[in-house]
Amino acid sequence: MRAEEENNEMRVLLVGLDTGENSEFEHSMEELKSLAEAAGKKVTGIMVQHMAKVNQSFYIGTGKVEEVREYAAQCEAAEVVFDNALSPAQVRNLGRELKLPVSDRTNLILDIFALRARTREARLQVETARLQYFLPRLVGMRENLSRQGGAGGSMSSKGAGETKLELDRRKIEHRISELKKELEDISRTRETMRKKRSQSRIPKVALVGYTNAGKSTIMNQLVNRYGESRSKTVLEKDMLFATLDTNVRCIRREGRHGENRPFFLVDTVGFINHLPHDLVKAFRSTLEEIKYADLLVHVVDFSDEHYRQQMQVTDETLEELGAGGIPRVIVYNKADKSALEDIPRRRDRQIYMAASQGLGVEELTELIEECVYTDRVETEMLLPYDKGNIVSYFMDNATVLEQEYRGEGVWLKVSCHKNDADKYCEYCACL
């Protein structure tokens, strides 16, 4: 069975251009190989050119184009994938010279998202991003797609001609418009749900970080231990972009003194270097869950030697989303694979842990609670018996320290959010 799968994998040749500006070029090529494999492709060769600047017509030098064509034939590659985003003209020119489908890092990421999308919202978002990517590249992409035997749908089966191109362009633009309307409807539903969660005063905590850093593993550990629905775990797999859908779970851990400190935990799509702009735009409504969080938990793969660069990419993406100023804690995950001892280890708002081993889960939960419940106050209230809804609210959203049934009503001593104490101050009964 495995042999059949390998035979069905598209064989690709990876091509990189090192201009000397990227000190992490080798790592970028390794990441490109991982992306190709995540997209279900088999890498049969890698070529690199060292050149001072990008060739505007072919990305690589004209002489190198001939070498790529010969090497592609030698390693039986059915597609050539370049390490950076190609312009529409470069795609067209390279496709004509190489006589093979030409792709780039952006298209590779879009392919992975298309494979991973599970919910209707994710599929609509990916389709929108892919069409926006294809639109300016329509001429070159059709030539490439036609060489793949009609793969890619109706766009590849059209005949040549400027009139036909214009019809295709209009068709794509119309489809993008339809998709955006559907996504707006879903976004309104998401906004309604978000407002309901906000009304509950339960803090929102978002897991963010580079793809495959372990965000889903951390969420599953917290859900299994403290989740209100222990069965609602998320997909957890050692691969790039295993999770695309935004998942929200309520975490409620009973403290040592009976404290009730619940929080909503949000798992989001991971980031990566050169994350396609169209993809960020298409997933903006989903990623906005991050922007409305009270706390960000930045998960870092501490075992990766390039983790500092990955942290920088995450910081830049958060700034782009308008979430750069949200308070955060740093989780150095997979610390068991490093030389670090005494795991878990906590230092201020940083924690070193190994989520897959369950090391540091309780400590992380305590750290999150400390951060999101800094605005808590203790107060006493006397609530009339006909205000049972308010009593229930404090039972669900506060820590009830003491409770008595008196003649006038229910007396509560609670640790609650300051806004809740102010809202119900008329029932304050500091006796």
Side-chain angles (χ1 to χ4, degrees):
M1 186 67 181
R2 178 60 187 164
E4 290 180 10
E5 289 178 1
E6 290 182 354
N7 290 333
N8 290 331
E9 289 177 330
M10 175 176 281
R11 299 167 67 88
V12 298
L13 169 64
L14 305 183
V15 179
L17 177 63
D18 184 7
T19 61
E21 295 179 356
N22 182 7
S23 60
E24 299 286 345
F25 175 76
E26 289 186 10
H27 174 60
S28 181
M29 290 301 296
E30 291 172 8
E31 193 170 72
L32 184 69
K33 182 174 184 291
S34 297
L35 286 169
E37 292 169 347
K41 302 177 188 293
K42 182 177 178 60
V43 177
T44 59
I46 299 176
M47 290 191 74
V48 172
Q49 180 174 27
H50 300 277
M51 196 167 66
K53 62 179 181 177
V54 172
N55 183 300
Q56 295 303 312
S57 298
F58 294 97
Y59 184 67
I60 54 176
T62 52
K64 198 70 172 179
V65 174
E66 177 65 24
E67 291 183 38
V68 170
R69 182 169 65 238
E70 292 176 358
Y71 189 45
Q74 181 182 333
C75 63
E76 300 180 338
E79 181 182 19
V80 181
V81 181
F82 287 77
D83 69 312
N84 220 325
L86 299 174
S87 70
Q90 288 168 342
V91 171
R92 184 169 60 252
N93 295 337
L94 286 165
R96 184 181 63 246
E97 295 297 321
L98 297 176
K99 303 293 190 295
L100 283 173
V102 172
S103 186
D104 59 16
R105 184 186 183 95
T106 299
N107 195 33
L108 208 53
I109 294 174
L110 289 170
D111 284 347
I112 297 170
F113 271 58
L115 289 170
R116 301 281 190 270
R118 294 290 179 267
T119 65
R120 176 163 180 75
E121 181 180 20
R123 288 194 291 267
L124 292 174
Q125 289 168 325
V126 173
E127 186 181 353
T128 301
R130 294 188 84 180
L131 290 177
Q132 288 174 329
Y133 172 81
F134 287 144
L135 191 58
R137 298 167 174 80
L138 199 54
V139 178
M141 292 307 297
R142 181 188 292 110
E143 293 174 357
N144 287 344
L145 290 167
S146 64
R147 296 190 186 100
Q148 296 181 41
S154 59
M155 282 190 294
S156 62
S157 60
K158 306 286 186 187
E162 197 164 334
T163 303
K164 197 62 177 173
L165 271 176
E166 189 59 36
L167 287 173
D168 283 356
R169 187 172 284 108
R170 289 178 183 175
K171 184 177 180 181
I172 292 175
E173 288 173 344
H174 178 68
R175 178 58 180 158
I176 290 174
S177 179
E178 288 180 333
L179 290 167
K180 285 183 175 179
K181 287 178 181 177
E182 286 189 69
L183 285 170
E184 284 173 6
D185 291 338
I186 295 174
S187 181
R188 280 192 288 270
T189 302
R190 181 181 294 279
E191 177 65 22
T192 300
M193 295 173 64
R194 187 186 295 131
K195 285 180 179 178
K196 285 183 179 179
R197 290 197 295 270
S198 297
Q199 290 170 357
S200 71
R201 302 282 188 200
I202 297 178
K204 293 170 288 295
V205 179
L207 295 165
V208 299
Y210 213 74
T211 180
N212 206 30
K215 297 183 299 298
S216 297
T217 303
I218 288 175
M219 169 167 262
N220 285 341
Q221 286 282 2
L222 267 66
V223 169
N224 283 326
R225 294 194 189 194
Y226 313 121
E228 291 191 341
S229 299
R230 305 289 169 89
S231 61
K232 290 188 176 181
T233 54
V234 299
L235 176 63
E236 177 186 329
K237 208 165 184 180
D238 184 16
M239 62 167 61
L240 300 180
F241 299 114
T243 304
L244 292 190
D245 305 310
T246 295
N247 298 286
V248 183
R249 301 289 185 268
C250 187
I251 306 299
R252 192 184 296 268
R253 183 182 71 103
E254 185 175 340
R256 295 185 182 90
H257 305 292
E259 302 100 326
N260 182 14
R261 294 185 169 187
F263 58 87
F264 288 115
L265 186 64
V266 183
D267 183 25
T268 60
V269 61
F271 304 142
I272 198 168
N273 204 13
H274 305 303
L275 190 65
H277 184 66
D278 286 338
L279 205 53
V280 174
K281 281 170 56 181
F283 273 75
R284 184 166 291 278
S285 64
T286 304
L287 291 170
E288 278 189 346
E289 289 287 352
I290 296 173
K291 193 169 71 173
Y292 292 103
D294 299 290
L295 178 72
L296 300 181
V297 176
H298 183 171
V299 183
V300 180
D301 181 355
F302 191 56
S303 68
D304 193 311
E305 61 180 310
H306 303 279
Y307 75 89
R308 293 188 184 279
Q309 179 196 6
Q310 294 173 358
M311 291 178 72
Q312 183 178 347
V313 170
T314 298
D315 290 340
E316 291 170 355
T317 308
L318 290 172
E319 286 289 344
E320 183 181 351
L321 293 170
I326 298 175
R328 71 188 69 177
V329 299
I330 309 296
V331 173
Y332 294 102
N333 191 31
K334 306 183 186 180
D336 56 317
K337 298 179 181 178
S338 69
L340 193 68
E341 297 179 353
D342 301 324
I343 302 170
R345 182 186 299 182
R346 177 181 165 183
R347 184 186 303 157
D348 297 325
R349 287 198 168 196
Q350 300 179 352
I351 186 168
Y352 296 82
M353 62 182 292
S356 63
Q357 308 296 322
L359 300 174
V361 177
E362 184 175 356
E363 289 80 0
L364 173 61
T365 309
E366 289 180 354
L367 176 57
I368 291 173
E369 290 174 350
E370 287 177 17
C371 292
V372 296
Y373 280 96
T374 53
D375 292 331
R376 303 282 280 201
V377 296
E378 281 193 16
T379 187
E380 299 175 30
M381 294 187 175
L382 185 60
L383 298 161
Y385 286 111
D386 62 354
K387 299 296 180 182
N389 60 320
I390 301 179
V391 176
S392 297
Y393 177 83
F394 279 105
M395 290 292 186
D396 292 335
N397 299 286
T399 300
V400 179
L401 304 173
E402 294 181 47
Q403 177 180 355
E404 289 181 12
Y405 290 93
R406 298 181 176 178
E408 306 92 332
V410 182
W411 175 82
L412 298 177
K413 182 177 181 181
V414 298
S415 171
C416 65
H417 195 284
K418 186 177 184 302
N419 290 339
D420 285 336
D422 293 341
K423 180 178 180 179
Y424 298 107
C425 62
E426 62 183 291
Y427 301 109
C428 181
C430 302
L431 303 176

